[in-house]
């Protein structure tokens, strides 16, 4: 048995025969030609055919993985038509008097090397896109038919790397999983794989020799492990794990795609809470209607210096594109209290839970806030992003936030940078915000109730102090009444109100929240389906009739 470690792109277990996929690099010879115009015309005709192929791939991907994920093929079309790329090929043909194949291959090498040397991760990944479009052109120029990944039985596909065009052509009925030596968790291919729900590993250090082709393999997408020719004990253990996963999938399939509507027709939005892009796979797997809380502070906590605007933009854009038009609510940085960053150089506080944290940092250090807002506004042009501001206690804070947002929009406009018009919401997590929620509702598009801090502040109990556990009551009537009050005030002002704290995932309270008229529950991805089950089985009016009071 051989064991290899890789980075997980999508979880789950796949067991089957291994099929080594080799692209068979196209050999390109440098041939001197006299008729440069004819050779240039060959290149233009190949480009036309490539554009037609990409258009077909776009339509196929649109049906299978959604508009945002199909966009890679539009990007490839744009790259084919890029003036710099086209002019490079044409210039090599005319000045060096060489064949179109050589000119394309040389341009591909030059551009891929240029992208690969860039500091930005997103731009480095474009090197693979350049090679992908160039390989497509070379196939056409060589007169080869477009080939996908073929298998005569369901198999684990092992490759050096898989281009997005190859991934979308996978026959899902014949592919159990794929394992690649190279690749990035943020690449278009990885996003497509997650959307297609194919267990996958990238960055797996293995040799692509013929010895493993046809052998039994196991992909443990959960733990990032690839077993080749597993021993009987490992095979038996992983088959049991796979059986458990399949049983869970059966439950998933029965509830997947169903609307979150009660027996008497009340609708509720079920969204997911995530901390980073790695969580997106479980969001999609559990059929969340959107992301109700993206904790952007983890971008800051995972670094030893302030993340740049471009770094943040690429993360927010990827999340928005992956969610393919579903609402993505991104909370602005919530640093402070139990989440500390040394490079913020915050003064030591006796009571950090009530100190300079969250929106208070943003309003007192606007340079940090504006960098994040620029990234968020830019990313909102690529999906349905909403921005949510934490730890609000006054109308004045909200109005100051809106002023800063307006300043950032003016800056972007003056610089000719595209941006969207995202919804603006706030978290209700202080008693002060609850008591003036009628006033706050006039200023924003939505509320999201952060029950963790709200309970802490309402009960005057430090939720980080385990010695106070016996006094901490998440179901305290005061907390539930405050939630009900916030929902009522939101509806009076014509906006929606949700819950993104831990209480939203408490199955004992799901029916109570439905009765209160809560519009949205945002929970950890694994809680989506259990809550959906309760929603589908509940008659809200009957529940209200049998349960009076909070």
């Amino acid at each position: 048995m051989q064991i290899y470690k890789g980075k997980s792109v999508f979880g789950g277990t796949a067991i089957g025969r291994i099929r080594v996929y080799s692209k068979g690099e196209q050999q390109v010879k440098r041939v001197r030609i006299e008729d440069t115009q004819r050779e240039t015309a060959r290149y233009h005709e190949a480009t036309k055919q490539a554009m037609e192929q990409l258009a077909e791939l776009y339509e196929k991907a649109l049906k299978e993985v959604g508009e945002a994920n199909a966009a890679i093929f539009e990007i490839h079309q744009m790259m084919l038509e890029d003036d710099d790329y086209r002019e490079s090929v044409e210039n090599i043909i005319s000045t060096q008097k060489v064949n179109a194949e050589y000119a394309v291959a040389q341009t591909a090498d030059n551009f891929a090397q240029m992208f690969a040397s860039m500091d930005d991760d997103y731009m480095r990944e474009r090197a693979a896109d350049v090679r992908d479009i160039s390989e497509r052109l070379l196939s056409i120029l060589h007169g080869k038919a477009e080939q996908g990944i073929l298998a005569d039985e369901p198999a684990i596909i092992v490759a050096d790397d898989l281009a997005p065009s190859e991934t979308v052509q996978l026959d899902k009925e014949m592919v159990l999983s794929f394992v690649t030596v190279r690749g990035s968790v943020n690449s278009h291919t990885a996003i497509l794989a997650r959307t297609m729900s194919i267990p996958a590993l990238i960055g797996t250090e293995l040799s692509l020799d013929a010895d493993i082709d046809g052998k039994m393999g196991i992909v443990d997408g959960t733990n990032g492990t690839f077993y080749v020719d597993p021993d009987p004990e490992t095979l038996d253990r992983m088959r049991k794990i796979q059986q458990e996963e399949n049983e869970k999938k059966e439950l998933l399939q029965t509830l997947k795609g169903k609307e979150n509507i009660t027996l008497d027709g009340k609708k509720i939005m079920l969204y997911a809470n995530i901390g980073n892009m790695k969580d997106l796979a479980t969001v999609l797997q559990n059929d969340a209607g959107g992301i109700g809380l993206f904790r952007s502070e983890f971008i800051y906590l995972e670094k030893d210096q302030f993340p740049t605007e471009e770094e943040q933009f690429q993360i927010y854009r990827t999340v928005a594109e992956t969610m393919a038009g579903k609402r993505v609510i991104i909370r602005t940085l919530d640093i402070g209290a139990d989440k500390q960053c040394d490079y913020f150089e915050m003064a030591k506080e006796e009571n950090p839970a009530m100190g300079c944290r969250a929106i208070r940092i943003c309003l007192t250090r606007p340079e940090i806030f504006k960098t994040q807002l620029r990234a968020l506004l830019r990313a909102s042009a690529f999906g349905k992003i909403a921005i949510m501001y934490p730890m609000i206690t006054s109308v004045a804070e909200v109005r100051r936030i809106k002023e800063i947002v307006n300043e950032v929009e003016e800056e972007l406009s003056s610089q000719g940078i595209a941006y969207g018009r995202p919804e603006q919401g706030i978290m209700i997590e202080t008693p002060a915000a609850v008591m003036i929620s009628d006033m706050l509702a006039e200023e924003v598009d939505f509320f999201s109730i952060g029950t963790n801090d709200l309970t802490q502040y309402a009960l005057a109990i430090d939720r980080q102090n385990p010695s106070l556990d016996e006094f901490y009551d998440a179901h305290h009537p005061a907390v539930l009444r405050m939630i009900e009050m916030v929902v009522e005030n939101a509806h009076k002002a014509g906006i929606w109100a949700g819950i993104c704290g831990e209480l939203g995932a408490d199955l004992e309270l799901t029916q109570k929240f439905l009765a209160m008229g809560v519009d949205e529950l945002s929970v950890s991805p694994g809680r989506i389906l259990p809550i959906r089950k309760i929603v589908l089985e509940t008659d809200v009016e009957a529940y209200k009739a049998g349960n009076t009071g909070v």
Side-chain angles (χ1 to χ4, degrees):
M1 179 173 70
Q2 298 163 283
I3 303 175
Y4 303 94
K5 296 297 289 184
K7 295 179 182 177
S8 177
V9 171
F10 193 81
T13 304
I15 302 174
R17 295 291 171 190
I18 297 170
R19 168 78 183 271
V20 176
Y21 169 69
S22 176
K23 298 182 184 182
E25 289 188 9
Q26 303 185 63
Q27 298 298 315
V28 177
K29 293 182 179 180
R30 189 177 192 274
V31 179
R32 182 173 177 81
I33 53 96
E34 295 300 329
D35 192 345
T36 57
Q37 288 187 341
R38 177 181 177 278
E39 208 62 20
T40 301
R42 283 185 67 226
Y43 161 63
H44 288 162
E45 178 59 30
T47 300
K48 179 181 176 183
Q49 289 184 42
M51 293 289 285
E52 292 171 354
Q53 290 178 2
L54 289 167
E56 291 177 5
L57 284 172
Y58 174 80
E59 292 301 325
K60 185 177 188 296
L62 193 63
K63 295 174 184 176
E64 294 185 0
V65 295
E67 184 175 357
N69 295 305
I72 178 58
F73 300 112
E74 289 187 318
I75 292 172
H76 280 196
Q77 287 176 307
M78 291 169 61
M79 293 177 84
L80 274 175
E81 293 182 315
D82 179 73
D83 288 341
D84 293 329
Y85 183 93
R86 175 180 52 77
E87 289 171 3
S88 173
V89 175
E90 292 175 348
N91 182 62
I92 292 173
I93 291 173
S94 62
T95 59
Q96 299 184 35
K97 294 186 180 300
V98 292
N99 54 323
E101 289 90 339
Y102 179 81
V104 169
Q106 189 63 44
T107 297
D109 288 342
N110 293 341
F111 275 62
Q113 186 176 2
M114 175 185 69
F115 281 120
S117 65
M118 292 182 175
D119 293 331
D120 184 79
D121 288 341
Y122 179 83
M123 296 308 294
R124 279 201 298 269
E125 287 159 14
R126 302 293 68 77
D129 293 327
V130 169
R131 294 197 181 281
D132 195 11
I133 64 168
S134 301
E135 285 292 322
R136 182 176 298 281
L137 284 172
L138 289 174
S139 292
I140 295 170
L141 289 166
H142 283 143
K144 294 181 180 179
E146 187 176 8
Q147 295 182 341
I149 300 172
L150 305 175
D152 53 9
E153 65 173 325
I156 295 170
I157 303 298
V158 177
D160 178 60
D161 196 7
L162 291 172
S165 55
E166 293 165 330
T167 308
V168 79
Q169 292 178 87
L170 292 173
D171 182 349
K172 285 180 278 189
E173 297 298 320
M174 301 303 288
V175 177
L176 300 172
S177 171
F178 70 75
V179 178
T180 64
V181 177
R182 297 188 293 129
S184 161
V185 293
N186 299 326
S187 67
H188 291 290
T189 303
I191 294 170
L192 285 170
R194 287 191 287 262
T195 308
M196 294 164 73
S197 300
I198 300 174
L201 302 179
I202 62 168
T204 314
E205 296 183 4
L206 76 163
S207 176
L208 296 177
D209 51 46
D211 287 347
I212 68 171
D213 193 66
K215 287 185 177 180
M216 180 63 71
I218 301 174
V219 176
D220 180 354
T222 303
N223 297 302
T225 307
F226 180 41
Y227 301 91
V228 176
D229 200 12
D231 57 42
E233 292 78 12
T234 301
L235 189 58
D236 183 60
R237 175 172 59 85
M238 294 307 295
R239 276 178 173 157
K240 288 179 180 176
I241 291 173
Q242 188 180 48
Q243 183 178 351
E244 292 174 2
E245 291 173 353
N246 289 336
E247 289 172 357
K248 291 179 181 178
K249 285 180 181 178
E250 288 179 13
L251 171 62
L252 176 66
Q253 292 306 315
T254 61
L255 297 177
K256 200 170 183 178
K258 292 190 176 182
E259 286 192 85
N260 307 303
I261 303 178
T262 63
L263 293 173
D264 54 337
K266 301 284 172 45
K267 291 185 180 181
I268 190 167
M269 298 177 283
L270 290 185
Y271 289 176
N273 295 338
I274 65 172
N276 54 49
M277 290 193 297
K278 296 175 184 176
D279 299 331
L280 285 174
T282 54
V283 173
L284 297 171
Q285 188 178 15
N286 288 279
D287 198 33
I291 293 173
L293 171 61
F294 182 102
R295 302 179 179 93
S296 71
E297 61 269 16
F298 283 96
I299 299 172
Y300 295 78
L301 293 168
E302 291 169 357
K303 297 182 70 68
D304 55 10
Q305 59 185 345
F306 289 106
T308 65
E309 175 186 331
E310 195 62 27
E311 287 172 331
Q312 294 188 65
F313 165 68
Q314 296 300 346
I315 292 171
Y316 303 145
R317 172 180 172 171
T318 299
V319 174
E321 288 181 332
T322 303
M323 292 307 293
K326 295 178 180 176
R327 183 186 276 123
V328 176
I329 301 175
I330 300 176
R331 177 173 71 188
T332 55
L333 69 91
D334 191 8
I335 295 294
D338 57 323
K339 291 172 283 192
Q340 296 288 335
C341 271
D342 290 341
Y343 61 85
F344 270 73
E345 298 180 349
M346 303 290 292
K348 183 174 175 57
E349 297 175 312
E350 289 298 321
N351 192 348
M354 294 189 177
C356 191
R357 57 173 295 198
I359 201 64
R360 295 167 185 172
I361 294 177
C362 293
L363 293 180
T364 55
R365 301 173 74 171
E367 70 283 358
I368 299 173
F369 193 30
K370 282 189 172 183
T371 297
Q372 182 172 34
L373 287 174
R374 282 178 62 93
L376 286 166
L377 289 171
R378 287 173 57 198
S380 67
F382 295 88
K384 192 177 181 180
I385 283 179
I387 304 175
M388 180 164 68
Y389 306 101
M391 283 297 294
I392 297 298
T393 61
S394 71
V395 171
E397 288 170 343
V398 177
R399 289 177 178 167
R400 178 56 188 142
I401 290 167
K402 290 162 80 172
E403 289 174 0
I404 295 174
V405 170
N406 287 337
E407 290 171 11
V408 172
E409 288 177 342
E410 289 174 4
E411 289 175 6
L412 292 172
S413 295
S414 66
Q415 294 166 358
I417 298 174
Y419 63 92
R421 297 279 183 178
E423 292 177 288
Q424 307 279 315
I426 60 172
M427 289 189 71
I428 303 292
E429 49 192 335
T430 65
V434 172
M435 297 309 296
I436 61 167
S437 54
D438 57 335
M439 299 163 64
L440 292 169
E442 299 294 335
E443 302 288 334
V444 297
D445 298 313
F446 66 91
F447 286 156
S448 190
I449 304 168
T451 55
N452 301 351
D453 271 326
L454 182 59
T455 304
Q456 170 176 252
Y457 295 133
L459 303 183
I461 291 176
D462 181 359
R463 59 190 174 95
Q464 304 294 328
N465 188 343
S467 65
L468 298 175
D469 284 352
E470 63 177 298
F471 299 101
Y472 188 90
D473 179 11
H475 291 206
H476 196 290
V479 176
L480 298 179
R481 287 183 180 181
M482 284 194 285
I483 293 172
E484 189 169 30
M485 178 180 176
V486 170
V487 173
E488 288 177 357
N489 284 333
H491 291 172
K492 286 177 184 176
I495 67 171
W496 62 268
I499 297 173
C500 64
E502 291 298 316
L503 216 55
D506 191 329
L507 300 182
E508 294 180 22
L509 294 174
T510 302
Q511 291 182 315
K512 189 175 288 292
F513 291 147
L514 288 169
M516 288 180 185
V518 172
D519 301 292
E520 175 244 20
L521 293 174
S522 189
V523 299
S524 60
R527 302 298 276 177
I528 296 287
L529 295 177
I531 293 175
R532 178 173 293 170
K533 185 173 184 293
I534 294 175
V535 171
L536 296 175
E537 295 172 351
T538 297
D539 183 315
V540 177
E541 293 306 316
Y543 174 83
K544 285 182 178 179
N547 296 270
T548 57
V550 171

